[in-house]
């Protein structure tokens, strides 16, 4: 198993399964952490934040989130991410306690980044997500922007959902954002949480640097997480399957400025 790839867990306690838990102690990531939890109906999950902010994304099912004297209810819009419609999320800042209550069986993504700023907790409704269609030829994907770099809600976090149909490549041509060299390029770590329809499918993801000191190609299955501490990170989707992934990014500055692999940038100039 690649040191960049994480398989889901299935250990359940009191109706809560922590499917994924990627953080600075079990990865090479310093700015991004990611947790995926599955809750039975009426199950609860609570957590205290100290020096991190979090974006709570209701991937499927219905839930409520309480923090301080704020209660966000009726969160969640879909039974499957492959309904391809935006969902609801909640942003919560540092030095906070939050509790999630499952109103139905649900799957929740917790997306973290360090912060020194205390900000107001707020809901990000599905209608607040902008939707983009990117690429052409066999490089097409659809993006739901939950926390783009233009958002003033978070201090450091960027969060997006991406759909790629079979036979297409995504995060392509290969690009990277691992140099703090603005305005040409920003430094942002990243995680990919993958789902695949149908679930028995797989996608390929490669993570590599210019000097190939890091060069790993992974067969990624349903519910896997891939961490990208640096390097280019394209995703290829086989025919017959649809890819979904949730991206979490963070770094020293909340700016997404990427650099394409010059060997492959020519594909953008095709007519």
């Amino acid at each position: 198993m690649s040191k960049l790839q994480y398989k889901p867990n299935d250990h359940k306690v009191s109706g809560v399964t922590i499917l994924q838990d990627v953080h600075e102690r079990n990865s090479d990531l310093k700015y991004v952490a990611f947790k995926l939890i599955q809750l039975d109906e009426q199950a609860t999950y609570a957590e205290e934040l100290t020096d991190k902010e979090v974006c709570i994304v209701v991937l499927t099912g219905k839930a409520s989130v309480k923090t301080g004297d704020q209660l966000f209810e009726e969160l969640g819009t879909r039974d499957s991410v492959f309904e391809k419609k935006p969902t609801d999320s909640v942003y919560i800042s540092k030095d906070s306690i939050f509790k999630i209550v499952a109103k139905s069986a649900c799957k929740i993504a917790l997306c973290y980044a360090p912060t020194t700023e205390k900000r107001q907790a707020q809901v990000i409704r599905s209608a607040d997500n902008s939707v983009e269609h990117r690429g052409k030829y066999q490089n097409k994907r659809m993006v739901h922007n939950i926390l783009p770099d233009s958002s003033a809600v978070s201090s450091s976090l960027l969060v997006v959902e991406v759909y790629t149909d079979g036979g297409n490549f995504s995060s392509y041509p290969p690009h990277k954002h691992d140099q703090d060299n603005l305005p040409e390029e920003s430094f942002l770590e990243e995680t990919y949480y993958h789902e695949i329809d149908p679930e028995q499918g797989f996608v390929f993801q490669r993570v590599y640097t210019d000097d190939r000191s890091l060069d790993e190609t992974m067969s990624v299955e349903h519910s896997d997480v891939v961490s990208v501490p640096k390097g280019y990170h394209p995703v290829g989707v086989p025919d017959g399957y649809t890819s979904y992934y949730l991206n979490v990014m963070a770094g020293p500055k909340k700016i997404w400025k990427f650099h394409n692999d010059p060997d492959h940038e020519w594909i953008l100039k095709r007519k």
Side-chain angles (χ1 to χ4, degrees), residues 1 4 24 44 48 50 54 59 78 89-90 96 101 113 141 162 176 189 200 202 244 246 263:
M1 179 61 59
L4 304 179
E24 62 271 15
T44 64
E48 181 174 2
T50 53
V54 67
L59 295 177
R78 59 201 186 192
S89 305
V90 174
S96 302
V101 178
R141 62 268 196 214
V162 180
K176 70 181 184 74
E189 297 175 342
Q200 72 268 25
F202 59 88
Y244 163 92
L246 180 76
D263 286 344

Side-chain angles (χ1 to χ4, degrees), residues 35-61:
K35 190 178 291 182
L36 181 71
I37 60 175
Q38 190 165 281
L39 288 80
D40 293 343
E41 185 174 359
Q42 296 305 313
T44 64
Y45 175 84
E47 190 174 313
E48 181 174 2
L49 300 171
T50 53
D51 58 351
K52 288 184 172 62
E53 59 184 357
V54 67
C55 180
I56 302 168
V57 183
V58 184
L59 295 177
T60 59

Side-chain angles (χ1 to χ4, degrees), residues 112-124:
Y112 305 88
T115 184
T116 58
E117 297 182 31
K118 177 66 174 176
R119 297 195 173 199
Q120 179 69 30
Q122 56 184 291
V123 66
I124 305 166

Side-chain angles (χ1 to χ4, degrees), residues 119-226:
R119 297 195 173 199
Q120 179 69 30
Q122 56 184 291
V123 66
I124 305 166
R125 290 289 179 184
S126 59
D128 299 325
N129 291 199
S130 61
V131 178
E132 296 181 57
H133 293 271
R134 298 178 186 167
K136 60 182 180 178
Y137 304 118
Q138 283 71 55
N139 183 27
K140 295 178 183 176
R141 62 268 196 214
M142 180 176 70
V143 179
H144 295 164
N145 291 303
I146 298 171
L147 282 177
D149 61 353
S150 59
S151 170
V153 173
S154 63
S155 172
S156 300
L157 272 171
L158 295 89
V159 181
V160 300
E161 298 182 304
V162 180
Y163 294 89
T164 310
D165 290 335
N168 283 266
F169 270 74
S170 193
S171 295
Y172 193 79
H175 70 262
K176 70 181 184 74
H177 34 75
D178 59 11
Q179 300 294 317
D180 190 3
N181 184 33
L182 290 167
E184 282 74 29
E185 185 177 349
S186 59
F187 180 89
L188 293 171
E189 297 175 342
E190 189 165 14
T191 55
Y192 280 66
Y193 164 64
H194 291 270
E195 291 199 12
I196 298 159
D197 184 34
E199 289 186 11
Q200 72 268 25
F202 59 88
V203 300
F204 293 110
Q205 184 158 22
R206 184 184 182 195
V207 180
Y208 68 98
T209 54
D210 286 310
D211 64 4
R212 302 305 193 264
S213 60
L214 174 61
D215 190 356
E216 296 197 30
T217 300
M218 293 154 274
S219 177
V220 179
E221 297 179 311
H222 187 76
S223 294
D224 286 0
V225 169
V226 173

